[in-house]
């Protein structure tokens, strides 16, 4: 666990900042920002390949990463990169909201993938997860994911509105500073959602203990 967290910090924060600071002034900002994302892309692909996550979670993570990378490549400028990122966040908010309206919160599929990897029957586990308390927590987790995306959209809008020089085509705060704050935001929200996942699994374990013939 600690090793994984350390690697996340190195790959998603330390290396991108190092790439930015080494290349700043030598390459246009747009191409340099693209380079800072390469370590994270390689790390994510390798992690999914090693863990063989050919399930909903793996496909979801890989798809969102590919869309993000494709939008960055199509952007052609720093401004468009942030603008496309803003709209991508809006689309994710709508996606999370749609899964809630359809009573298929995306978090449920993440939880089912974890259970299946542990050897539990997916259908029987699903029946347990739709019990009132676990179900409410799965909905809450999905709502929090949407709120997190809303925050990303606001941050990108703020950068475009207050920290982008249209004439120079550059960020006025420095992309390394932006990286630091966006990663901190991401990890803080990750911790909040992790607490909700802990509460979810505790509620599931409580149900299992109460049932004479538990589903899992």
């Amino acid at each position: 666990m600690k090793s994984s967290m350390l690697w996340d910090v190195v790959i998603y924060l330390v290396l991108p900042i190092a790439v930015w600071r080494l290349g700043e002034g030598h390459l246009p900002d747009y191409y340099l920002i693209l380079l800072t994302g390469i370590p994270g892309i390689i790390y994510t692909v390798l992690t999914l390949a090693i863990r063989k996550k050919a399930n909903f979670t793996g496909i979801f993570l890989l798809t969102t990463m590919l869309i993000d990378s494709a939008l960055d490549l199509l952007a052609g400028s720093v401004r468009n990169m942030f603008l496309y990122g803003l709209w991508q966040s809006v689309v994710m908010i709508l996606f999370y909201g749609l899964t809630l309206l359809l009573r298929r919160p995306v978090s449920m599929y993440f939880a089912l993938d974890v259970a299946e990897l542990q050897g539990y029957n997916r259908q029987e586990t699903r029946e347990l997860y739709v019990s009132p308390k676990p179900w409410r927590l799965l909905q809450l987790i999905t709502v929090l994911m949407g709120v997190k995306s809303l925050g990303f959209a606001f941050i990108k809008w703020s950068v475009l509105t207050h920290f982008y020089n249209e004439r120079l085509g550059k960020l006025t705060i420095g992309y390394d500073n932006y990286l630091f704050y966006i990663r901190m935001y991401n990890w803080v929200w990750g911790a909040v959602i992790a607490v909700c996942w802990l509460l979810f699994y505790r509620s599931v374990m409580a149900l299992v203990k109460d049932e004479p013939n538990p589903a899992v």
Side-chain angles (χ1 to χ4, degrees), residues 14-62:
V14 176
L15 280 181
I17 288 179
V19 169
W20 174 264
R21 291 186 176 177
L22 288 172
E24 190 174 14
H26 302 288
L27 287 172
D29 286 2
Y30 170 68
Y31 295 105
L32 192 52
I33 291 174
L34 289 177
L35 285 177
T36 64
I38 291 177
I41 294 172
I42 295 174
Y43 178 69
T44 302
V45 171
L46 288 177
T47 300
L48 292 174
I50 291 171
R51 296 177 181 176
K52 298 180 180 179
K53 286 192 174 180
N55 50 25
F56 178 86
T57 303
I59 293 171
F60 178 84
L61 292 174
L62 188 60

Side-chain angles (χ1 to χ4, degrees), residues 26-185:
H26 302 288
L27 287 172
D29 286 2
Y30 170 68
Y31 295 105
L32 192 52
I33 291 174
L34 289 177
L35 285 177
T36 64
I38 291 177
I41 294 172
I42 295 174
Y43 178 69
T44 302
V45 171
L46 288 177
T47 300
L48 292 174
I50 291 171
R51 296 177 181 176
K52 298 180 180 179
K53 286 192 174 180
N55 50 25
F56 178 86
T57 303
I59 293 171
F60 178 84
L61 292 174
L62 188 60
T63 301
T64 52
M65 184 192 70
L66 289 175
I67 291 174
D68 185 53
S69 300
L71 289 175
D72 285 346
L73 289 171
L74 291 171
S77 69
V78 175
R79 180 185 180 278
N80 285 344
M81 186 177 286
F82 278 83
L83 183 61
Y84 292 176
L86 189 160
W87 285 111
Q88 183 185 8
S89 296
V90 171
V91 169
M92 292 307 299
I93 295 168
L94 296 175
F95 170 73
Y96 294 136
L98 181 62
T99 67
L100 288 170
L101 287 175
L102 295 176
R103 297 186 60 79
R104 298 289 189 276
V106 68
S107 56
M108 179 177 67
Y109 295 98
F110 297 154
L112 288 173
D113 284 345
V114 172
E116 191 171 40
L117 287 172
Q118 293 174 339
Y120 298 118
N121 180 277
R122 194 176 183 94
Q123 183 56 40
E124 292 178 351
T125 305
R126 181 191 179 99
E127 292 173 4
L128 182 64
Y129 287 175
V130 296
S131 301
K133 189 171 182 180
W135 181 250
R136 286 195 297 270
L137 285 165
L138 287 175
Q139 290 177 310
L140 174 61
I141 291 169
T142 303
V143 168
L144 291 177
M145 292 170 68
V147 175
K148 178 183 173 184
S149 291
L150 178 62
F152 276 128
F154 177 75
I155 290 170
K156 292 178 187 298
W157 173 83
S158 297
V159 169
L160 286 172
T161 305
H162 304 292
F163 302 104
Y164 179 74
N165 188 309
E166 188 74 39
R167 183 175 60 83
L168 298 176
K170 296 173 69 71
L171 299 178
T172 59
I173 59 170
Y175 189 68
D176 51 347
N177 293 320
Y178 167 80
L179 272 175
F180 175 80
Y181 290 117
I182 203 72
R183 293 306 178 201
M184 291 302 106
Y185 172 84

